[in-house]
Amino acid sequence: MHPAATRSSQQTIDQFGKYVIPNYKRYPVTLVHGEGSYVWDAEGKRYLDLFPGWGCDILGHCPPLVVKAIQRQVQHLIHIPNTWYTEAQGDFAEAIVKHSFGKVFFANSGTEANEGAIKLARLHYANNSGGTSKYRVISFANGFHGRTFGSVTATAQPKYHEGLGPLLPGFRYAPYNDLEAVKSLVDDETCAILLEPVQGEGGVNIADEGFLKGLRELCDQRDMLLIFDEVQTGMGRTGDWFGYQNTGIQPDIMTLAKGLAGGVACGAFVCQDHIAPSLRPGMHASTFGGNPLAMAAGIATMMTIEEEGLLENCRKMSDRFCQHFQALKSKLPIIKDVRARGMMIGVELNIPATPAVAKCMDRGVLINATHDTVVRLLPALNITAEQVDEGCKVIAETLEVMAQEA
Ligand SMILES: *Cc1c(COP(=O)(O)O)cnc(C)c1O
């Protein structure tokens, strides 16, 4: 048993059976401890985690500076409402804006950040009679924006809509990377275009530069807001601080969460200065948003990325993963495509990818499968070359076995 465990994995699994709503498919393992890219289960088995915290643990598990910052903050203030000022919220907002643009609103999750961005877009075009002159939002096939009603409506994947209707009115869906399709959907009531610069859950699909430039021009011509959902691509994930920064364009609003506070629940949206006043006092709020604990964790996360040169490490390790997977692709016809932007890596197979997850877990490596056929990795920005090699070896051997069985 691991020293941090108080009982076996199975005992906890039985407890969940009695008390927890069974809406998640969980692996039959209880995790009890993590350090960087390693995590341990109750039985003491160690795993190399190439998908730490579903992308939230952007610095791996329990990054030391984040742990210290939380310990320091927790003895002064855990939570106070947004009717007061805190140094922590000011400092984190300043740090984000200095690496991006505009002004920040803090929430607690990705879906909440996107809800706020959609509300802001409609409010920005509100007319004097209290209604909105433009309300329609265009989003994209295979995108993912969250689970609350606005965000799930924006998520153009039928499997997430089943049984939930009626959804939020005013959404239209276009194929990703298809500018002409977007143009044909825009009308005078369209207020915003919402997309991920790299689709994560949809299978690590990278937006073409020309497509993004075209969307930017279209939004300028038709007076609409361009919203980037950077919940997954933000905070250094792509090798830049934010995903838009290597696209040559800037969105009007960007939403953040996942890695934003190094694993502590935190979401945010950033908007250009001239849009910020459209979020009038009383029109939007979040009780826990911007709480000192999350803010302290966020500041420490950004400091770690900066001081340890992790954007550079992210780009280097991305190349290393790609070299491994390209070499594997030339040997294994079951690999259709290898796509990567920083520490967002997708290996598309022409067979189902899901069996690879359990097979790798048996051998002590944690990965994810998405969109049926894509092996997806969201490794920590501070992963080492040795860990990349170790993980790729297990994945390669696993895919070789799957290719023989296929
Ligand atoms: C995970 C994710 C979300 C939803 O975030 P939650 O914190 O689970 O609400 C939204 N957008 C993108 C791009 C994501 O990857």
Side-chain angles (χ1 to χ4, degrees), residues 54 56 108-114 143-148 151 155 196 198-201 229-233 255 257-258 266 376:
W54 210 272
C56 298
N108 307 288
S109 66
T111 200
E112 201 191 342
N114 285 323
F144 185 81
H145 303 291
R147 303 294 196 149
T148 52
S151 302
T155 297
E196 299 155 86
V198 181
Q199 290 186 331
E201 200 267 356
D229 178 342
E230 296 235 22
V231 167
Q232 200 167 126
T233 52
T255 59
K258 292 227 162 83
C266 189
R376 178 170 57 146

Side-chain angles (χ1 to χ4, degrees), residues 62-371:
C62 302
L65 285 181
V66 175
V67 170
K68 275 201 204 93
I70 293 170
Q71 285 169 338
R72 215 167 29 239
Q73 180 61 51
V74 80
Q75 50 191 334
H76 293 296
L77 286 172
I78 295 176
H79 181 67
I80 58 142
N82 279 301
T83 44
W84 307 93
Y85 294 92
T86 63
E87 293 181 2
Q89 191 175 136
D91 287 346
F92 193 27
E94 181 176 343
I96 293 170
V97 167
K98 285 203 163 146
H99 289 292
S100 57
F101 59 93
K103 291 201 166 55
V104 187
F105 172 90
F106 287 106
N108 307 288
S109 66
T111 200
E112 201 191 342
N114 285 323
E115 292 290 334
I118 293 165
K119 279 177 73 175
L120 173 55
R122 288 188 175 179
L123 284 166
H124 187 62
Y125 295 102
N127 58 36
N128 297 329
S129 53
T132 177
S133 56
K134 291 180 180 230
Y135 63 94
R136 220 184 287 288
V137 175
I138 294 174
S139 62
F140 292 86
N142 298 324
F144 185 81
H145 303 291
R147 303 294 196 149
T148 52
F149 266 102
S151 302
V152 87
T153 304
T155 297
Q157 300 196 50
K159 65 180 177 189
Y160 293 127
H161 295 171
E162 266 169 40
L164 289 181
L167 299 175
L168 188 66
F171 284 76
R172 285 178 175 167
Y173 308 132
Y176 200 62
N177 278 332
D178 186 342
L179 186 60
E180 292 311 312
V182 181
K183 284 182 181 165
S184 72
L185 292 177
V186 170
D187 62 14
D188 291 341
E189 294 179 329
T190 308
C191 70
I193 295 175
L194 166 64
L195 79 163
E196 299 155 86
V198 181
Q199 290 186 331
E201 200 267 356
V204 190
N205 307 314
I206 301 170
D208 301 335
E209 209 173 293
F211 173 62
L212 294 177
K213 288 211 166 82
L215 291 181
R216 180 67 273 174
E217 279 165 20
L218 188 61
C219 285
D220 293 341
Q221 281 162 6
R222 303 291 302 260
D223 187 21
M224 305 180 291
L225 300 181
L226 183 59
I227 307 174
F228 273 15
D229 178 342
E230 296 235 22
V231 167
Q232 200 167 126
T233 52
M235 291 303 278
R237 172 65 65 197
T238 60
D240 289 288
W241 275 107
F242 301 100
Y244 78 86
Q245 286 166 337
N246 77 352
T247 67
I249 60 146
Q250 191 178 295
D252 299 297
I253 305 176
M254 92 173 154
T255 59
L256 303 169
K258 292 227 162 83
L260 185 55
V264 176
C266 189
F269 61 83
V270 177
C271 72
Q272 289 189 21
D273 280 304
H274 75 277
I275 299 167
S278 296
L279 206 68
R280 301 187 304 274
M283 288 311 295
H284 194 56
S286 172
T287 303
F288 273 123
N291 69 82
L293 211 56
M295 298 297 101
I299 295 160
T301 301
M302 289 189 87
M303 277 174 58
T304 304
I305 293 171
E306 201 147 65
E307 284 171 11
E308 297 184 1
L310 295 183
L311 298 181
E312 202 197 333
N313 190 63
C314 172
R315 290 191 287 257
K316 270 196 200 146
M317 293 306 120
S318 186
D319 290 346
R320 198 172 182 102
F321 271 113
C322 285
Q323 277 162 17
H324 281 296
F325 289 136
Q326 290 295 356
L328 192 62
K329 179 171 178 277
S330 61
K331 283 197 299 188
L332 280 189
I334 62 162
I335 300 182
K336 218 170 116 184
D337 197 15
V338 176
R339 296 185 289 272
R341 184 59 56 85
M343 285 296 103
M344 237 175 137
I345 298 154
V347 180
E348 186 175 353
L349 311 181
N350 54 26
I351 59 170
T354 313
V357 179
K359 287 179 198 289
C360 284
M361 193 172 75
D362 277 348
R363 298 196 47 192
V365 174
L366 304 185
I367 62 168
N368 172 256
T370 191
H371 218 68

